[in-house]
Amino acid sequence: MNVVFVETLTGTDLLQMVSHDVAGILAAAQGESVTFPVGHFKYEFHNLDFYEENGEIRQELVIYVTKI
């Protein structure tokens, strides 16, 4: 599944990836903090989005984080 980390205030994509361990990534993101090359962030909320691509329904987990 596609997983995208987005900075809540600006809407900037921090990381886009594909993972088969979505539950593990979500649990880790909800921990103390998430570190990216541009700084440390705190989990805010997430959405599971569905979209159509080439006639197929796909899903994407969007995790929103705020810089700390």
Side-chain angles (χ1 to χ4, degrees):
M1 173 187 306
N2 290 329
V3 178
V4 181
F5 285 85
V6 175
E7 205 284 319
T8 305
L9 296 176
T10 64
T12 303
D13 285 2
L14 299 171
L15 175 68
Q16 292 188 19
M17 60 188 286
V18 175
S19 177
H20 297 288
D21 185 16
V22 175
I25 289 176
L26 186 56
Q30 292 174 338
E32 188 68 27
S33 68
V34 180
T35 303
F36 297 99
V38 294
H40 299 285
F41 294 79
K42 180 79 176 155
Y43 171 88
E44 288 292 322
F45 62 96
H46 66 276
N47 284 333
L48 182 59
D49 293 337
F50 293 88
Y51 61 96
E52 184 176 341
E53 184 176 283
N54 298 326
E56 291 183 22
I57 300 296
R58 298 186 181 242
Q59 56 188 351
E60 176 175 79
L61 176 65
V62 182
I63 301 173
Y64 293 89
V65 294
T66 302
K67 193 162 189 168
I68 51 175

